[in-house]
Amino acid sequence: GTIAAPKAVKGTKNSAKTAVYKNGKMIAVYKSRVEAAKETGVYVGYVIACIKGYVDSCKGLVFRDL
């Protein structure tokens, strides 16, 4: 048989919702950093760098974990 991939544990960074802000206002909430990256067209590495505070914003957007 096949082995199922492990599911993300609730409460870990892998399952954290990601909020997107523009001009100081929340414009969207995504179920993950990857989804936020795909939907906004920002490379996921930049999304994570923004969340961790390495960069202030990406393409005029600010990303934060909820």
Side-chain angles (χ1 to χ4, degrees):
T2 59
I3 299 171
K7 290 187 168 35
V9 178
K10 192 169 186 177
T12 65
K13 290 296 182 186
N14 290 335
S15 65
K17 290 183 179 177
T18 301
V20 183
Y21 298 85
K22 186 169 188 174
N23 299 324
K25 293 183 180 179
M26 186 187 294
I27 59 168
V29 176
Y30 298 104
K31 64 183 179 182
S32 69
R33 295 169 175 181
V34 173
E35 185 186 46
K38 287 180 181 176
E39 294 294 323
T40 59
V42 175
Y43 172 64
V44 69
Y46 292 122
V47 171
I48 293 168
C50 188
I51 289 168
K52 291 187 175 188
Y54 300 131
V55 296
D56 293 329
S57 64
C58 309
K59 294 188 179 181
L61 303 172
V62 175
F63 298 87
R64 296 287 180 257
D65 280 346
L66 293 179

